[in-house]
Amino acid sequence: VVLADELNRATPRTQSAMLEAMQEGTVTSSGVTRPLPQPFHVLATQNPIEQEGTWPLPEAQLDRFLTMIRIPTPDAKALAAITRGTTGNMPPKVEPVMTPEHMLALQQAVRQVVVATPVRDWAARLVLATHPGSDLAPKDLVKVIECGASPRAGQALLAMAKALAFLEGRSHIGMVDLRRVARPVLRHRLLPTFEFLAGGGDIDPVIDDL
């Protein structure tokens, strides 16, 4: 597990190396390419407030992240739990909950979750609807979105929906599952227009409308 804190502060060269690890599962150094162990996961954060000294992540790299999760300000109960766990005398104990082999087996099990043809078609239409030039897109989408989601978004929608159904003990997914994962799957894959960003627009309601 690699945690890249404030990834947008990394230089383009570092981001390129991270992209290779995420896409190819390898790391190249001094002309030697080495495979990464499996399972391999990348988690990254971005600071949305301080932008000085940052390098925007290219769309190709953003597309490699399965989801973008917005973390709200913790409420009083969560904040109390944070302070209790980080200011006490005893550091929290970390215990393994599964082996790498168990994780890989679970990933294969998730792939067995059934997707009916109408559900798969619905996901495809949703992805196409994010493109302003598509017949499925709303007419005013061109004012909001400059570039729509890639085919990888369709893969992510189905993969996330399958995982959700698996965690809830179901052997198939429905359109309700796709709706539940649409925001985290699509919000970083849609390139907003400058006018939309300048006006303080939020991409989540746009996804809901689609």
Side-chain angles (χ1 to χ4, degrees):
V1 177
V2 174
L3 171 59
D5 189 31
E6 295 193 16
L7 181 59
N8 53 333
R9 290 194 180 278
T11 64
R13 186 172 183 178
T14 301
Q15 292 182 11
S16 176
M18 181 72 76
L19 181 59
E20 178 194 354
M22 296 171 67
Q23 178 62 23
E24 306 299 336
T26 60
V27 171
T28 301
S29 177
S30 301
V32 179
T33 299
R34 298 176 174 86
L36 291 164
Q38 295 298 322
F40 179 76
H41 298 280
V42 174
L43 308 175
T45 65
Q46 287 191 90
N47 188 336
I49 299 175
E50 179 56 61
Q51 298 298 325
E52 183 177 354
T54 63
W55 304 80
L57 271 64
E59 288 76 13
Q61 182 159 14
L62 285 173
D63 201 22
R64 264 66 177 186
F65 284 98
L66 185 67
T67 62
M68 175 181 282
I69 306 298
R70 289 180 174 175
I71 302 177
T73 302
D75 58 21
K77 183 178 180 180
L79 185 57
I82 292 173
T83 57
R84 182 169 58 251
T86 56
T87 61
N89 291 327
M90 296 295 293
K93 293 183 178 180
V94 179
E95 298 289 344
V97 296
M98 67 178 66
T99 64
E101 292 75 20
H102 189 193
M103 171 69 77
L104 293 172
L106 287 174
Q107 290 178 344
Q108 290 302 315
V110 168
R111 288 180 172 271
Q112 305 305 314
V113 174
V114 177
V115 182
T117 298
V119 177
R120 192 182 303 276
D121 292 344
W122 193 92
R125 293 198 301 273
L126 175 58
V127 173
L128 290 176
T130 66
H131 293 262
S134 170
D135 294 337
L136 298 173
K139 292 182 178 179
D140 59 349
L141 189 66
V142 67
K143 301 177 182 178
V144 178
I145 301 298
E146 182 175 333
C147 184
S150 73
R152 192 174 277 109
Q155 296 172 329
L157 280 170
L158 293 178
M160 282 289 293
K162 284 186 173 188
L164 187 64
F166 181 84
L167 289 173
E168 295 180 352
R170 291 181 282 115
S171 60
H172 65 279
I173 70 172
M175 295 175 188
V176 64
D177 296 311
L178 295 175
R179 292 189 178 97
R180 290 169 65 185
V181 303
R183 280 187 173 190
V185 166
L186 294 176
R187 62 168 57 116
H188 61 296
R189 291 183 163 95
L190 305 182
L191 183 61
T193 62
F194 176 79
E195 292 76 13
F196 183 74
L197 289 176
D202 184 2
I203 203 67
D204 280 3
V206 177
I207 297 173
D208 295 341
D209 291 342
L210 292 172

